Amino acid sequence: MKYHFRKAKLSEITPIWEILQQAIQRRKEDGSTQWQDGYPNPNVVQKDIEKGEGFVLLDGETIIGYSAVLIKDEPAYDKIEGNWLTNGDFIVVHRVAISEKYLGKGFAKIILKRIEDFAVSNNIYSIKADTNFDNIAMMKIFEGSGYTYCGEVYFRGSSRKAYEKVLIEQE
């Protein structure tokens, strides 16, 4: 497979931010309120990368997708209205965005699959994520990738749909 998923570099903030800006504009055109409040922004991306949590999907040398991948680090997930499927270690997926030129070809699902591989390689068997109630595209991607709707979490004052995928059933 020519697509490579790896940690992002600080030198890649510009192309990553371009992809995120495209996604922000798409959310706006779809009538979504998600990402319409100045978040994410280049500082968020820089912090992701500095913490080793920013990841890129490459087609050859071209960055075509971005995601933040956090290990066991999402305080908002402690207060779910609903129930997670598991209570152990988990990976958190945030800020999934695909380049305009690569839309509709399944690359968001490829990113999720690569994150699953990353999780298993770190002996973590749960992935948790959330999205805005009006981000239909991402909800379909989660549901089509085997994620289960678990309830609602709150970020920056707004409610979001929370999902989890269990990779290997624990004994």
Side-chain angles (χ1 to χ4, degrees):
M1 183 94 167
K2 65 177 180 169
Y3 302 106
H4 185 60
F5 187 69
R6 63 159 169 77
K7 287 189 176 187
K9 301 171 188 163
L10 283 171
S11 61
E12 297 169 327
I13 289 175
T14 300
I16 291 166
W17 177 235
E18 286 170 9
I19 289 170
L20 279 163
Q21 284 178 301
Q22 293 168 2
I24 289 165
Q25 185 60 33
R26 280 196 303 277
R27 298 271 49 80
K28 184 176 186 176
E29 289 168 6
D30 289 346
S32 175
T33 59
Q34 188 169 358
W35 292 1
Q36 302 304 308
D37 61 357
Y39 169 95
N41 56 56
N43 289 341
V44 170
V45 175
Q46 182 174 336
K47 284 187 181 118
D48 286 347
I49 295 169
E50 287 171 350
K51 293 195 304 197
E53 297 172 344
F55 282 75
V56 289
L57 183 66
L58 301 154
D59 179 1
E61 297 297 311
T62 305
I63 295 172
I64 63 171
Y66 178 76
S67 180
V69 180
L70 293 64
I71 298 178
K72 302 176 279 198
D73 183 25
E74 188 43 79
Y77 286 4
D78 294 342
K79 297 182 183 106
I80 187 169
E81 290 181 3
N83 290 295
W84 293 113
L85 304 176
T86 65
N87 295 314
D89 290 349
F90 59 94
I91 295 282
V92 180
V93 179
H94 282 316
R95 298 182 277 291
V96 175
I98 303 298
S99 168
E100 200 76 19
K101 297 178 193 125
Y102 289 82
L103 285 178
K105 298 180 170 75
F107 288 107
K109 284 187 177 179
I110 289 173
I111 285 179
L112 291 178
K113 179 67 181 103
R114 297 296 170 87
I115 292 169
E116 290 173 21
D117 296 342
F118 172 80
V120 170
S121 73
N122 283 280
N123 297 310
I124 298 173
Y125 303 103
S126 165
I127 299 181
K128 295 179 181 179
D130 65 87
T131 194
N132 225 51
F133 275 84
D134 57 12
N135 190 340
I136 306 300
M138 200 68 215
M139 287 186 260
K140 285 183 177 169
I141 289 165
F142 286 142
E143 289 160 10
S145 298
Y147 285 70
T148 300
Y149 172 70
C150 294
E152 294 177 30
V153 292
Y154 289 84
F155 279 97
R156 297 187 331 277
S158 66
S159 168
R160 305 179 43 91
K161 291 186 106 165
Y163 291 87
E164 182 176 6
K165 182 173 184 177
V166 179
L167 304 176
I168 297 173
E169 289 300 325
Q170 299 297 292
E171 295 298 316

